[in-house]
Amino acid sequence: MPGGQQPQKHYGITSAISLAPPREIDHLYTKKLCDAMKPFGVFEDEEELNHRLAVLGKLNNLVKEWIAEISELKNLPPSAISCVGGKIFTFGSYRLGVHTKGADIDALCVAPRHVERTDFFQSFFEKLKQHEEIKDLRAVEDAFVPVIKFKFDGIEIDLLFARLALQSIPDNLDLRGDSMLKNLDIRCIRSLNGCRVTDEILYLVPNKENFRLTLRAIKLWAKRRGIYSNILGFLGGVSWAMLVARTCQLYPNAVAATLVHKFFLVFSKWEWPNPVLLKQPEDSNLNLPVWDPRVNPSDRYHLMPIITPAYPQQNSTYNVSTSTRTIMTEEFKHGLSVTDEILQGKAEWPKLFEPPNFFQKYKHYIVLTASASTEENHLEWIGLVESKIRVLVGNLERNEYITLAHVNPQSFPVSKENRSENDFVSMWFIGIIFKKVEKTESVNIDLTFDIQSFTDTVYRQANNINMLKDGMKIEATHVKKKQLHQYLPPELVQKKKRSIAELNRSSNGGSSKRISLDSSHLDSSRDTDSGTPFSSPTSKPPKPVSDTEDGASPPKQLFVETSPAASAAAAAMPQTSAAATVPPTSAASGVPPNAAATVQPGASSADTEQGKSIPLIVS
């Protein structure tokens, strides 16, 4: 076996399902899988790899220099300063060896006990600021896991900090031992967690190369299918890695093509909420909170538990909701049926990476827009709004008339024609399935409260962290499928239809490109757990096509603005709210009026005045 590892060793909490060695054809399918992934930029060339290593080397030297300077300022003796150390550890996709072209690097700065967290966010931040190769420097000190973000010679780095209870940090330090966590501050424990989990995953798989190739395929598939985003309630990088690692444990001798198929087989049939575990949880008696439904009642409500293998064990999927679990389960089943076809020679690997036609899938959508008056404010604002979208999904799921709320992780810019001149705007789309209402002629569904409580949550949070600035606002609009062309470029709404037709004509369907999800967007994807896996398209969408296209009657745009500074377009529209009544059986045929809820903060604070009750009624 490559890597000289012994697959006969027992991995995981159960014995293997199959110890069958790979056949010649399995190697052939694996080569074809590699070829199918290459156009998406999932493999980095030697030059880029060496560039990353050089940047990390420079960063490591910067850390050592800074720790020596701090030690001198704190009057440590010269003999101690010379061996005080300090080290950069990597984790996440880079450490696992599955990062894509242009992906960022998750890193951890480990310092000895006399270096404080405040030193990291003050003097080290200043040191980075002086460095000519470092750009876009920003600190997020009050985050759950505090971080400094920057670009070092073109490579994006998210740098965490942990201070260990040691006098010096040697170069050969191993973070896997639990004793390392004794007497540490909770933020340091959280910061160390990423490295400890990544190292443990690599330790628990039978063959690292097979694991890496399989994980690259699954991550690409998840991004293409729109289910890669921890923050929106799908799965992030660590969770996908653990599911692939579990598959590798169950089929320890299999190569990547087989493992991809077995991945879909195992998880399309998995009986959630049974947890996925890579090893039996151990208690290190450090009194840290661990995932344990026997002890913590709240853990019993987790829908899709995937448990990290390093102490303190956590569920990496606590953001998953009933809707996102339903969507992912359907995708596992779809993946199984496609890989069945591929391994029977009826289809080719590119078919697995075909994106779904999200904008054809539902009759109803909610368009969520977040806008701000400057580019800098907009970046901050969409980060906060995106992190709270799952609150809106949760609110919608609890509505008795809604069966499913499916958020597309891709965000879209608003075309210049549809926004006021100075605004920066991003849109997200949520597909909605309403319950069929029996024994009634018609029903009006009021979503005002669901959206209002979401906007209140966002403004409250923004106000608490002093982020709220004039011009930051959120708007939620209900639209029918036929009206999507008013928000999206026609090729994005229509091309999906054409490519499905192409798919019917040709089983591989691998040649068609999607404007929103092509390989260039994957290349620049944020390959972390904390962001949307795709960047917004950089090209400005063309003008929307005419309102009457496809025979849809033009919708009456009914915007309700609380802001005096409403856009010119909105101001020209009737400032009233209305609800149409449509029999539930024929809901798809007529186009009801749009109803939009917009909330904008006052200049000073997110008071109750800015959060007025705004009707959003869907018929």
Side-chain angles (χ1 to χ4, degrees):
M1 295 296 290
Q5 290 171 317
Q6 295 302 310
Q8 279 68 35
K9 178 186 161 187
H10 179 67
Y11 288 91
I13 60 166
T14 63
S15 56
I17 291 174
S18 169
L19 294 171
R23 302 162 300 167
E24 194 56 45
I25 195 162
D26 299 329
H27 289 293
L28 182 66
Y29 279 128
T30 299
K31 186 191 176 300
K32 284 185 176 181
L33 174 60
C34 284
D35 293 342
M37 289 195 281
K38 278 175 188 167
F40 296 101
V42 298
F43 301 106
E44 210 171 33
D45 61 37
E46 203 68 31
E47 192 183 337
E48 288 171 293
L49 212 56
N50 291 336
H51 181 215
R52 283 178 187 270
L53 289 170
V55 164
L56 285 169
K58 287 180 192 173
L59 184 59
N60 201 47
N61 291 338
L62 269 180
V63 163
K64 288 186 180 206
E65 257 176 53
W66 165 66
I67 290 175
E69 289 161 13
I70 284 284
S71 306
E72 204 171 332
L73 282 172
K74 298 195 175 185
N75 300 319
L76 261 74
S79 58
I81 293 170
S82 63
C83 60
V84 80
K87 191 177 176 187
I88 288 287
F89 288 85
T90 59
F91 61 100
S93 64
Y94 179 78
R95 172 73 182 95
L96 286 171
V98 295
H99 58 286
T100 55
K101 282 183 184 175
D104 65 347
I105 296 178
D106 296 306
L108 169 71
C109 167
V110 175
R113 64 190 181 198
H114 60 275
V115 180
E116 305 278 342
R117 184 171 288 276
T118 49
D119 297 325
F120 177 72
F121 281 101
Q122 287 166 14
S123 64
F124 187 62
F125 186 84
E126 284 306 314
K127 192 174 178 70
L128 291 173
K129 206 187 252 184
Q130 306 310 318
H131 200 289
E132 58 182 15
E133 289 183 291
I134 288 176
K135 306 274 186 291
D136 300 346
L137 181 67
R138 59 208 185 279
V140 192
E141 202 171 343
D142 52 4
F144 185 69
V145 182
V147 62
I148 293 178
K149 294 167 172 274
F150 53 93
K151 265 189 187 170
F152 196 142
D153 194 11
I155 290 175
E156 285 192 56
I157 294 178
D158 287 357
L159 187 62
L160 312 183
F161 174 81
R163 164 197 184 209
L164 299 187
L166 301 172
Q167 280 179 309
S168 64
I169 304 298
D171 282 342
N172 63 353
L173 180 69
D174 180 6
L175 298 176
R176 279 187 60 226
D178 294 349
S179 59
M180 196 72 68
L181 304 177
K182 272 182 190 162
N183 307 319
L184 292 197
D185 149 287
I186 187 66
R187 287 168 302 180
C188 289
I189 290 171
R190 284 185 198 135
S191 299
L192 283 164
N193 197 44
C195 288
R196 287 166 51 77
V197 167
T198 309
D199 287 357
E200 201 64 41
I201 290 170
L202 285 173
Y203 180 75
L204 291 167
V205 294
N207 182 297
K208 291 184 181 64
E209 283 315 304
N210 291 340
F211 164 73
R212 285 184 178 122
L213 191 51
T214 309
L215 181 53
R216 281 185 187 279
I218 294 302
K219 284 179 69 163
L220 174 61
W221 164 81
K223 288 175 182 179
R224 298 285 286 170
R225 301 298 295 179
I227 54 172
Y228 187 109
S229 177
N230 178 44
I231 208 164
L232 290 175
F234 294 105
L235 304 191
V238 175
S239 302
W240 290 117
M242 289 190 284
L243 293 188
V244 170
R246 187 70 190 112
T247 311
C248 291
Q249 290 179 339
L250 294 170
Y251 300 90
N253 296 348
V255 288
T258 311
L259 287 166
V260 169
H261 178 241
K262 298 301 186 189
F263 171 90
F264 293 122
L265 180 67
V266 170
F267 293 109
S268 62
K269 299 185 186 328
W270 195 270
E271 293 182 359
W272 304 106
N274 286 326
V276 173
L277 295 159
L278 296 181
K279 64 181 233 185
Q280 279 299 346
E282 296 159 4
D283 191 7
S284 294
N285 297 320
L286 295 175
N287 289 328
L288 294 172
V290 296
W291 184 85
D292 189 344
R294 296 166 305 179
V295 176
N296 313 314
S298 62
D299 292 347
R300 295 168 203 165
Y301 297 98
H302 292 176
L303 300 174
M304 202 172 174
I306 302 171
I307 310 307
T308 56
Y311 179 82
Q313 296 83 14
Q314 304 293 319
N315 175 22
S316 65
T317 63
Y318 55 86
N319 288 343
V320 169
S321 69
T322 50
S323 288
T324 54
R325 185 177 73 176
T326 300
I327 293 153
M328 286 187 280
T329 303
E330 285 308 305
E331 286 296 344
F332 291 144
K333 288 174 182 169
H334 177 262
L336 179 61
S337 103
V338 173
T339 49
D340 275 341
E341 282 181 35
I342 292 166
L343 298 184
Q344 288 164 15
K346 294 177 185 173
E348 297 295 328
W349 284 109
K351 185 174 180 180
L352 183 66
F353 306 121
E354 278 286 332
N357 53 341
F358 179 82
F359 296 109
Q360 298 300 321
K361 196 169 183 180
Y362 301 102
K363 291 177 184 175
H364 301 267
Y365 294 84
I366 285 175
V367 185
L368 184 65
T369 57
S371 50
S373 50
T374 71
E375 191 169 8
E376 193 182 347
N377 286 357
H378 178 242
L379 276 174
E380 245 189 322
W381 186 229
I382 60 169
L384 179 68
V385 172
E386 185 185 50
S387 73
K388 298 294 174 194
I389 289 176
R390 64 177 190 271
V391 172
L392 175 56
V393 170
N395 292 349
L396 294 169
E397 283 175 345
R398 285 186 288 276
N399 187 305
E400 61 176 319
Y401 294 109
I402 291 176
T403 305
L404 186 100
H406 179 177
V407 59
N408 185 347
Q410 170 82 342
S411 70
F412 297 87
V414 172
S415 61
K416 281 182 180 172
E417 297 81 14
N418 289 351
R419 61 180 167 89
S420 54
E421 201 175 317
N422 300 322
D423 272 1
F424 293 84
V425 190
S426 290
M427 296 184 291
W428 290 269
F429 290 81
I430 303 171
I432 301 288
I433 296 178
F434 289 106
K435 278 187 182 140
K436 286 191 167 64
V437 184
E438 302 294 325
K439 297 178 183 173
T440 52
E441 294 259 327
S442 61
V443 63
N444 285 344
I445 300 161
D446 189 351
L447 302 180
T448 310
F449 177 76
D450 301 333
I451 286 163
Q452 195 63 49
S453 63
F454 160 69
T455 54
D456 288 350
T457 301
V458 177
Y459 287 124
R460 196 180 311 114
Q461 170 101 15
N463 201 40
N464 288 347
I465 60 175
N466 296 319
M467 183 200 284
L468 208 52
K469 296 178 183 72
D470 199 20
M472 287 180 170
K473 59 183 178 184
I474 317 171
E475 181 179 295
T477 313
H478 163 253
V479 298
K480 287 284 195 91
K481 179 164 66 176
K482 288 178 183 175
Q483 297 164 295
L484 287 172
H485 63 268
Q486 296 173 2
Y487 297 87
L488 294 162
E491 66 269 32
L492 207 143
V493 181
Q494 295 164 2
K495 195 164 184 179
K496 307 270 181 173
K497 288 182 183 175
R498 279 207 302 275
S499 45
I500 290 301
E502 284 163 14
L503 235 133
N504 292 339
R505 287 197 298 274
S506 155
S507 68
N508 68 6
S511 57
S512 65
K513 284 270 190 289
R514 301 299 200 276
I515 186 168
S516 65
L517 304 174
D518 68 15
S519 56
S520 66
H521 295 134
L522 272 170
D523 292 354
S524 60
S525 73
R526 302 283 300 158
D527 201 11
T528 66
D529 281 32
S530 58
T532 307
F534 300 107
S535 54
S536 297
T538 47
S539 57
K540 289 280 177 280
K543 285 188 181 181
V545 289
S546 116
D547 279 352
T548 52
E549 184 194 83
D550 285 344
S553 56
K556 297 167 191 158
Q557 292 264 3
L558 298 169
F559 287 85
V560 185
E561 271 283 0
T562 59
S563 157
S567 66
M573 293 169 189
Q575 298 290 302
T576 54
S577 166
T581 302
V582 182
T585 50
S586 61
S589 55
V591 180
N594 263 8
T598 305
V599 191
Q600 180 176 9
S604 57
S605 69
D607 55 13
T608 49
E609 187 58 30
Q610 108 221 345
K612 292 175 195 163
S613 182
I614 297 158
L616 177 54
I617 299 175
V618 180
S619 299

